[in-house]
Amino acid sequence: MSELLRVEGLKVAVEGKEILKGLDLTINTGETHVIMGTNGAGKSTLFNAVMGNPQYAVTAGRIFFEGRDITDQPVNERAKAGIFMAFQSPIAVQGISVENFIRNAKSTVSGEPQRIMPFRKKMHKQMEGLMMDRSYGDRYVNDGFSGGERKKTEILQMCMLEPKLAMLDEIDSGLDVDAVRIVSEAVSEYHNESNAILVITHHSEILQKLIPDYVHILINGRIVKTGNAKLIQEIEANGYDAFKEQAK
């Protein structure tokens, strides 16, 4: 186990409004972390800041990945380093198939060209695990896909790109019970001692397979409490009101 991500005193603003107000977080390889909190607390802002989305301005603090300061690095360099983000609302991309999109991305982050047939064979195997018909590989990315199909495509990308840190932003939202099970099993199978998982969720169903090592409560731009999986039961029983005073 070694340190993978370290966020120190992170403050982030969007369109001049401060969202994160001094956030600290450390994630080691082999760990699963869960971020929970009220709407607008800054959960997605944290993910976008770590990924390097330029719309999210870091006004204070630093972000380290494998000991290197990446605070000022662009998105593509962070992806090459092994950071992946699955979006809460994946967009459609016209003109490029799912297979070509992922194969090009894999070539870019790995620095090595991907031979078509071995890549396709591996992708088809991953699609079977996600209960996705192979025909989705030939369709434009997310074009005409249902919400659940888009989320599965995000997980397919994760499995094929093999990042060191996978950040999953409400990957379970809009999924039925069976789809949540399929997605959570795929993420659980992917997770090992060499990578780490960071999940935003409002629900506990996905955590039946993804047993978190740490649960963080994020309210008003700050992590106000960290605990183990038992903290989820406390939230479900009492809501977030008990934590709001700590965020002031």
Side-chain angles (χ1 to χ4, degrees):
M1 182 180 293
S2 59
E3 182 183 282
L4 192 59
L5 176 74
R6 176 161 41 96
V7 175
E8 295 182 348
L10 191 65
K11 295 184 179 181
V12 177
V14 179
E15 297 181 349
K17 180 181 179 181
E18 188 175 71
I19 306 298
L20 297 185
K21 303 176 181 180
L23 187 146
D24 299 303
L25 177 67
T26 299
I27 298 176
N28 299 312
T29 55
E31 293 179 345
T32 297
H33 290 242
V34 173
I35 304 284
M36 303 184 78
T38 55
N39 290 329
K43 302 182 296 296
S44 295
T45 296
L46 171 62
F47 277 29
N48 278 283
V50 171
M51 197 69 244
N53 187 329
Q55 295 181 352
Y56 295 76
V58 175
T59 58
R62 311 304 294 174
I63 302 170
F64 298 89
F65 191 70
E66 295 189 307
R68 294 188 300 111
D69 189 339
I70 64 168
T71 311
D72 300 317
Q73 283 190 349
V75 174
N76 63 313
E77 291 300 322
R78 301 187 198 206
K80 288 180 182 178
I83 303 176
F84 171 84
M85 178 176 172
F87 292 92
Q88 181 179 349
S89 301
I91 63 172
V93 181
Q94 294 284 342
I96 183 169
S97 69
V98 169
E99 178 179 336
N100 286 338
F101 178 82
I102 300 177
R103 184 157 56 87
N104 289 338
K106 180 69 173 181
S107 297
T108 299
V109 299
S110 68
E112 301 176 353
Q114 301 297 302
R115 296 170 56 200
I116 293 177
M117 295 312 295
F119 179 88
R120 183 174 295 163
K121 181 178 180 180
K122 182 177 180 179
M123 189 183 77
H124 285 169
K125 182 178 180 181
Q126 295 291 349
M127 294 177 82
E128 289 174 6
L130 288 165
M131 301 298 179
M132 295 178 69
D133 191 278
R134 291 183 179 184
S135 63
Y136 281 93
D138 299 322
R139 294 172 60 179
Y140 291 158
V141 177
N142 293 329
D143 185 33
F145 288 18
S146 68
E149 290 162 350
R150 292 187 181 209
K151 296 298 181 69
K152 287 184 178 182
T153 301
E154 293 285 287
I155 298 303
L156 176 63
Q157 292 177 48
M158 180 198 74
C159 293
M160 295 301 295
L161 296 178
E162 302 176 299
K164 297 173 184 176
L165 174 64
M167 301 188 296
L168 311 179
D169 189 352
E170 294 193 37
I171 198 67
D172 53 342
S173 67
L175 300 183
D176 60 30
V177 174
D178 290 333
V180 169
R181 175 183 55 79
I182 291 167
V183 165
S184 61
E185 287 178 351
V187 176
S188 180
E189 289 176 9
Y190 172 74
H191 184 37
N192 58 46
E193 291 302 312
S194 298
N195 59 40
I197 307 293
L198 180 58
V199 181
I200 292 174
T201 185
H202 289 288
H203 311 286
S204 61
E205 287 82 0
I206 194 170
L207 303 178
Q208 300 301 313
K209 289 287 184 180
L210 293 176
I211 307 301
D213 298 290
Y214 298 95
V215 177
H216 309 278
I217 306 304
L218 180 58
I219 295 177
N220 195 26
R222 297 184 178 91
I223 291 177
V224 298
K225 187 168 183 178
T226 295
N228 57 24
K230 292 181 179 179
L231 188 53
I232 299 171
Q233 299 173 2
E234 184 179 341
I235 295 167
E236 291 182 335
N238 304 312
Y240 293 108
D241 287 344
F243 305 104
K244 290 180 179 178
E245 285 298 320
Q246 303 173 49
K248 293 181 179 179

